[in-house]
């Protein structure tokens, strides 16, 4: 017979899947982590959620620390905190933990604030070239609100854009290593891609974004394009290129409270360790970051 701990853990995972609409990967990752936590508690003869204490959480996490990365440690911590918050809402437990995610792998990243995003998009919009304005707006918007890499953007074909009237639009991209992903894109991206493609004759196998000469746009061209618009907008960052826009997207998601596994999936990171850079953005920076992201 299942213990109360096991039952409530399963209900929490169902809540993530059916109410929060968390990704399959998020639910699977949390399920794996919580199963280990439940087994640990049951080894201590703790079968009811009301008997969990912070000391149990500390002991569990202390026991796994030598064998996991800081990113995996943080994911386990967030899974436990999520379960505790769920139990508190149901009136089944009041236990909390003050344990914080480790910061030993922190590195500085360059990203834009909400005001800087507005200025950048206004600068592109006011570009004086009638053909390149729609193209460049589509490029900048796609980088900002999907977080794809510049190589993924330049390799896009017209047929990779799946625009379904009255439903979500998607883009199919080839990730590093050859994997394919089908990503949802928000209405801003859809609008600007449709506007750009309407300016030319297209076939499905054509490159999505073309150079001045009508060939597939090069990565270096996109890099220079982004850098020049950032300069024109009066934006100065330690790094001035497409990856700054990718980091902006990751920071948006972090500021909105997205799970680390969700951010990993959307950005196409192979390792959770890579995604963990977004856990270490200072709170005051998060408060100033772009938070108006919509799908």
């Amino acid at each position: 017979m299942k213990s109360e701990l096991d039952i409530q853990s399963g209900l929490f995972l169902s809540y993530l899947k059916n109410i929060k609409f968390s990704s399959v990967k998020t639910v699977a990752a949390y399920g794996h982590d919580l199963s280990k936590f439940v087994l640990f508690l049951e080894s201590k003869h703790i079968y009811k959620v009301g008997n969990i204490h912070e000391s149990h959480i500390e002991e569990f996490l202390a026991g796994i620390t030598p064998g996991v990365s800081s990113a995996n440690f943080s994911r386990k911590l967030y899974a436990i905190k999520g379960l505790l918050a769920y139990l508190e809402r149901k009136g089944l437990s009041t236990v909390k933990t003050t344990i914080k995610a480790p910061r030993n792998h922190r590195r500085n990243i360059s990203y834009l604030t909400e005001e800087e995003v507005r200025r950048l998009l206004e600068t592109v919009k006011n570009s004086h070239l009638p053909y390149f304005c729609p193209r460049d707006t589509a490029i900048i918007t796609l980088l900002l609100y999907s977080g794809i890499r510049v190589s993924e953007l330049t390799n896009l074909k017209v047929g990779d854009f799946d625009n379904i009237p009255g439903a979500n639009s998607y883009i199919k991209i080839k990730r590093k290593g050859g994997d394919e992903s089908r990503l949802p894109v928000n209405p801003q991206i859809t609008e600007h891609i449709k506007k750009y493609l309407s300016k030319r004759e297209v076939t499905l196998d054509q490159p999505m974004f073309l150079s001045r000469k009508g060939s597939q746009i090069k990565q270096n061209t996109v890099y220079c394009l982004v850098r020049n618009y950032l300069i024109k907008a009066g934006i100065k960052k330690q790094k001035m290129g497409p990856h700054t826009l990718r980091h902006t997207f990751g920071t948006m998601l972090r500021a909105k409270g997205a799970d680390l596994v969700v951010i990993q999936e959307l950005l196409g990171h192979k390792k959770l360790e890579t995604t963990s850079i977004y856990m270490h953005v200072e709170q005051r920076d998060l408060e100033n970051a772009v938070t108006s992201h919509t799908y």
Side-chain angles (χ1 to χ4, degrees), residues 6 9-10 12-13 16 23-40 60 64 67-68 72-73 75-80 83 261 272:
D6 212 2
S9 178
F12 170 59
L13 295 174
L16 290 179
S23 72
V24 173
K25 282 193 173 185
T26 297
V27 176
Y30 276 33
H32 173 78
D33 294 336
L34 291 175
S35 67
K36 300 289 186 183
F37 182 53
V38 169
L39 285 174
F40 167 80
F60 170 71
I64 63 169
V68 301
N72 280 323
F73 176 91
R75 190 190 70 193
K76 289 173 171 58
L77 175 60
Y78 290 145
I80 293 171
L83 174 62
V261 179
L272 196 64

Side-chain angles (χ1 to χ4, degrees), residues 69-136:
S69 67
S70 63
N72 280 323
F73 176 91
S74 298
R75 190 190 70 193
K76 289 173 171 58
L77 175 60
Y78 290 145
I80 293 171
K81 284 188 172 183
L83 174 62
L84 296 180
Y86 172 77
L87 294 174
E88 184 179 18
R89 286 195 299 273
K90 294 182 69 175
L92 297 175
S93 175
T94 58
V95 67
K96 291 182 172 63
T97 178
T98 57
I99 301 171
K100 295 183 179 180
R103 302 168 64 86
N104 57 318
H105 286 281
R106 178 182 175 186
R107 79 167 191 253
N108 293 327
I109 58 174
S110 295
Y111 58 90
L112 307 185
T113 65
E114 183 174 13
E115 170 61 19
E116 288 168 339
V117 167
R118 186 194 64 77
R119 279 161 45 199
L120 175 61
L121 293 175
E122 281 295 318
T123 300
V124 181
K125 179 181 177 181
N126 294 329
S127 172
H128 59 85
L129 298 174
Y131 174 80
F132 289 108
C133 179
R135 184 201 68 177
D136 294 354

Side-chain angles (χ1 to χ4, degrees), residues 192-210:
H192 291 304
I193 289 179
K194 286 171 61 179
K195 184 175 181 179
Y196 165 56
L197 293 179
S198 71
K199 300 293 182 180
R200 52 183 253 228
E201 296 291 330
V202 297
T203 58
L204 295 180
D205 60 346
Q206 275 186 331
M208 169 101 54
F209 296 107
L210 301 178

Side-chain angles (χ1 to χ4, degrees), residues 133-146:
C133 179
R135 184 201 68 177
D136 294 354
T137 301
I139 288 174
I140 297 292
T141 305
L142 185 54
L143 291 171
L144 271 173
Y145 293 111
S146 74

